Amino acid sequence: MGDKSTIQRVLLTGATGFVGSALYPALVDAGFDVVCATRSPERARREQPEKTWVGLDVEDGASVRRAMEGCDAAYYLVHRMSDAEDYEARETSAAMNFLEAATRAGVKRIVYLGGVKPRREPSRHLRSRLVTGAILRSGEVCTIELRASMIIGAGSASWQLLRDISVRLPMMLCPRWLRNRTEPVAIDDVVRALAAALTLEHEGSASFDIPGPEVVTFQECVRRAAEAVGNDPVMVNVPLLTPHLSTYWLRLVTGTNLHLARELVEGLKTDLLARDARFWELIGVEELVSIDEAIARALKAEPSGGNTYERAIKRVYRDPHASA
């Protein structure tokens, strides 16, 4: 396992998503033949004709088997939590479809990006991510599961939520759960980890955490993101306001899918800390992108570098009657 000479053709699920889009050029640069999977292949071919596309719906076992044909390895970068309330059962079924198809196709490795396992009872979203990883690791195909907490990068749902809160709220009531800790990791480092996992010398399946370089509270993340755009919100600590109640004001703050935002916030009710950072040692990464640099890169990658939007927001803060 892990011998690059045995892995040439790679199936990339979630290819139109945040992580998949970022990972694709790294795989191509490394010399892999990448097959991009999506539920809407015709639209994808029109928009990105330079890529090889195949239709795939992880809930349709036949489509997964067709997409997997001829592939030596596969990335599992999909989730359903923004689709419906019953996403846990759907994600379980999808993971089983994927593993069955990979086994039948003789795939040598699956690489899966999941979430950090909290010390306490996980939220529904995190539990589903962990179950998906356990299913993929339970089969004969060598599966490397990488677990991240918050990923910072333009296009990330958790980053958009953080950014919107930081920019749009001149004052914040900060409940106790915002003081829980996390280890945010830059999308650039996530891509490095995912690419390296494809050829990692490792017998059998395993899970590894991929923490960022610093342990911070979620409140500190908000403060740093706000500082990066020149905002200085007043933060008032309060003892109440649960993650569930906090989701009600999210509809006033963020453009993130509300169901998705609610699930993400529920996941913040406990520390999200890595067991260790040994995966970075295994792949030879000595220095990670700092949180502040990750935030700066994420803002720069947004349309117009985020500048026009941020100026408009801050102008409205100064003059409530101004037009954004």
Side-chain angles (χ1 to χ4, degrees), residues 24-259:
Y24 174 82
L27 295 177
V28 172
D29 289 346
F32 295 106
D33 176 17
V34 183
V35 179
C36 297
T38 176
R39 284 183 289 181
S40 304
E42 294 304 322
R43 182 174 66 185
R45 290 187 188 104
R46 289 195 301 270
E47 296 176 352
Q48 302 179 68
E50 73 283 2
K51 298 179 180 179
T52 300
W53 293 97
V54 64
L56 181 150
D57 183 338
V58 288
E59 294 184 66
D60 177 0
S63 78
V64 181
R65 289 191 292 272
R66 287 193 298 270
M68 201 81 73
E69 290 179 1
C71 291
D72 304 307
Y75 281 93
Y76 195 80
L77 304 177
V78 294
H79 63 72
R80 295 298 202 198
M81 71 173 176
S82 62
D83 289 355
E85 290 292 340
D86 65 344
Y87 70 83
E88 281 188 281
R90 296 172 67 185
E91 288 201 326
T92 294
S93 176
M96 294 174 69
N97 285 340
F98 200 80
L99 177 59
E100 187 274 334
T103 304
R104 177 180 295 192
V107 163
K108 299 176 180 67
R109 174 157 293 178
I110 295 172
V111 179
Y112 165 62
L113 179 61
V116 167
K117 182 179 181 180
R119 270 52 166 190
R120 294 164 53 189
E121 181 67 22
S123 67
R124 191 165 65 132
H125 155 54
L126 289 175
R127 182 173 64 238
S128 184
R129 298 281 76 203
L130 293 167
V131 168
T132 295
I135 290 171
L136 295 175
R137 287 186 286 107
S138 70
E140 299 174 3
V141 181
C142 176
T143 297
I144 301 299
E145 175 186 1
L146 301 181
R147 297 175 176 178
S149 53
M150 180 186 296
I151 300 177
I152 300 179
S156 161
S158 55
W159 159 250
Q160 182 180 347
L161 182 61
L162 172 65
R163 175 194 179 282
D164 288 348
I165 292 173
S166 302
V167 170
R168 298 181 179 182
L169 290 182
M171 184 184 78
M172 283 190 63
L173 296 179
C174 299
R176 185 181 299 278
W177 59 265
L178 265 183
R179 271 96 80 189
N180 289 330
R181 298 169 297 167
T182 184
E183 294 170 282
V185 60
I187 181 58
D188 306 73
D189 288 329
V190 173
V191 166
R192 285 202 286 177
L194 287 168
L198 191 61
T199 55
L200 179 71
E201 290 291 343
H202 193 280
E203 291 297 328
S205 298
S207 65
F208 299 93
D209 292 339
I210 50 170
E214 188 177 350
V215 176
V216 293
T217 64
F218 296 107
Q219 186 170 337
E220 175 67 8
C221 289
V222 171
R223 187 193 67 77
R224 291 199 190 185
E227 186 178 81
V229 296
N231 190 19
D232 185 20
V234 176
M235 295 186 173
V236 180
N237 291 333
V238 294
L240 302 176
L241 197 61
T242 66
H244 179 72
L245 291 175
S246 299
T247 61
Y248 288 105
W249 53 259
L250 287 177
R251 68 177 69 247
L252 304 175
V253 176
T254 183
T256 306
N257 174 286
L258 189 60
H259 177 76

